[in-house]
Amino acid sequence: MTYDVAKIRRDFPILGEEVYGNPLVYLDNGASAQKPSAVIDAIRHTYEHEYANVHRGVHFMSQRATDAMEGARETVRAFMNAADTKEIIFVRGATEGINLVASSWAEMELKAGDEIILTEMEHHSNIVPWQFVRDRTGAVIKVAPINDAGELMMEEFEKLLSPRTRLVAITHVSNALGTVVPVADIVRMAHDHGAKVLLDGCQAVPHIAVDVQALDADFYVFSGHKLYGPSGIGVLYGKADLLNAMRPYQGGGEMINVVTFEETTYAELPYKFEAGTPHIAGAIALGAAVNYVTGIGLDRIAAHENDLLAYATERLREVNSVRLIGTAAEKAAILSFNLGDIHPHDVGTILDREGIAVRTGHHCAQPVMDRYDIAATVRASFGLYNTRAEVDALAASLRKVQEIFGA
Ligand code: 7TS
């Protein structure tokens, strides 16, 4: 079956919008992806046909909402190949998932001198929570370096592992560089040293089929909104034995068994970690997003995006002052670059007038910018609906930027 990108584009109403009289060219999928009608319809359907609070009502509509939400949990479980739905915790997003593990696992488990290994290419969401842990426990953060291409230096990483290593927290795909990290090797090496591994899958799940059991990841997080689902909903996967031993993250309704003023017992997984009324429609619509993506097939999406990445890399290399930042052998469809000495914000602003949406800045990965001794990059991040024609539009507009700046 051929990949019918024109047909796929019709699933995304927003792609019909115009920006300053130009068709929208949306190349900011790494920040957040657009939503197919299947997801928008799921939100609408929820509120029109199956909405009430979940897990509490004896009444029909509450049961229907609960069934829909738990159905979405099963959809996510299958998507990640988790062993059990109780290992799928709905959270606000990757940021909350990482903070949950930092607070409920690391702060309880780690003591002074224990080590956490990060890499130079982490998103701030996978740095700052571990600094909280460091400051509260006396644990030490070690940082594994990347090479000029933006690849993790595996030998240097391995040298950091020791009996003191308790946790390796690492991105599966770098949001600033596009690097795909060999996480299966990382997990194996970390486990050989008795350390747990948290994988930040934000930029991976839209592009790569993830099997948490095959990876043997201890924790895996991602955000719904980068996977064509709603914002405000995401997933923390954790192995059941770890989650069971962890303290709750927040206290409140839904997460309890019995409450008295003296003592409270907690609910079973996954509810122990889902205090308060959850993002019901968001969870249901995330299930719709997963079904949409798996309906097309991640292998076919990956093939399409890899073609786009190769094509875009070639077209951009032809623009003489383009300097690509992140040229790893294994990359997802993310292109970070600078255009001569032109400030990325100026590039982004001119591209915007042409209808082309890119992100400019440090991409919440300031250590990556420090590594390359730059302040910012322009980043084009591709999704399943982008086309070669859009890549051509990007390249043409970059030439225009060069002309404007006399570069
Ligand atoms: N981890 C990675 C690798 C990310 O790319 C992001 C968001 C996050 C964590 C945080 O996700 P959130 O949904 O909890 O905010 N990355 C980006 C980006 O590249 N541009 O905007 C957000």
Side-chain angles (χ1 to χ4, degrees), residues 200-248:
D200 174 356
C202 261
Q203 302 291 343
V205 289
H207 310 291
I208 300 171
V210 170
D211 180 332
V212 288
Q213 292 190 84
L215 289 174
D216 201 20
D218 298 293
F219 300 105
Y220 196 102
V221 298
F222 72 87
S223 294
H225 66 96
K226 296 178 202 288
L227 186 65
Y228 310 97
S231 59
I233 188 79
V235 171
L236 163 65
Y237 160 81
K239 286 182 181 166
D241 56 335
L242 288 170
L243 293 174
N244 269 322
M246 282 157 57
R247 67 177 181 193

Side-chain angles (χ1 to χ4, degrees), residues 121 146 149-154 170-186 200 203-205 207-210 215 220 302 305-306 309 326-334:
M121 64 184 141
I146 56 175
E151 294 159 330
L152 185 65
M153 297 170 76
M154 293 299 279
I170 186 168
T171 195
H172 192 167
V173 172
S174 157
N175 72 315
L177 300 167
T179 310
V180 179
V181 177
V183 286
D185 295 342
I186 301 268
D200 174 356
Q203 302 291 343
V205 289
H207 310 291
I208 300 171
V210 170
L215 289 174
Y220 196 102
E305 291 179 349
N306 288 341
L309 178 68
T327 49
E330 288 290 322
K331 273 188 75 173
I334 291 173

Side-chain angles (χ1 to χ4, degrees), residues 98-110 115-116 130 133 137 165-168 194-198 218-219 241-243 245-249 273:
I98 297 169
N99 277 278
L100 192 161
V101 175
S103 169
S104 293
W105 183 80
E107 278 187 26
M108 297 301 289
E109 284 290 318
L110 271 54
E115 294 178 0
I116 300 169
W130 308 117
V133 172
T137 65
T165 312
R166 299 296 310 283
L167 176 72
V168 175
K196 302 295 182 214
V197 180
L198 176 142
D218 298 293
F219 300 105
D241 56 335
L242 288 170
L243 293 174
M246 282 157 57
R247 67 177 181 193
Y249 180 51
F273 292 107

Side-chain angles (χ1 to χ4, degrees), residues 28 30-32 92-96 98 122-123 125-126 171 173-176 200-203 223-226 359 363-364 379:
D28 195 18
S32 201
R92 261 194 317 125
T95 300
E96 188 176 52
I98 297 169
E122 299 312 314
H123 186 279
S125 292
N126 198 29
T171 195
V173 172
S174 157
N175 72 315
D200 174 356
C202 261
Q203 302 291 343
S223 294
H225 66 96
K226 296 178 202 288
R359 184 164 175 197
H363 316 296
C364 302
R379 183 188 68 182

Side-chain angles (χ1 to χ4, degrees), residues 307-329:
D307 171 73
L308 275 182
L309 178 68
Y311 183 72
T313 304
E314 243 176 75
R315 290 285 84 79
L316 260 61
R317 282 206 163 115
E318 289 163 10
V319 182
N320 27 26
S321 61
V322 162
R323 176 191 172 204
L324 291 177
I325 309 292
T327 49

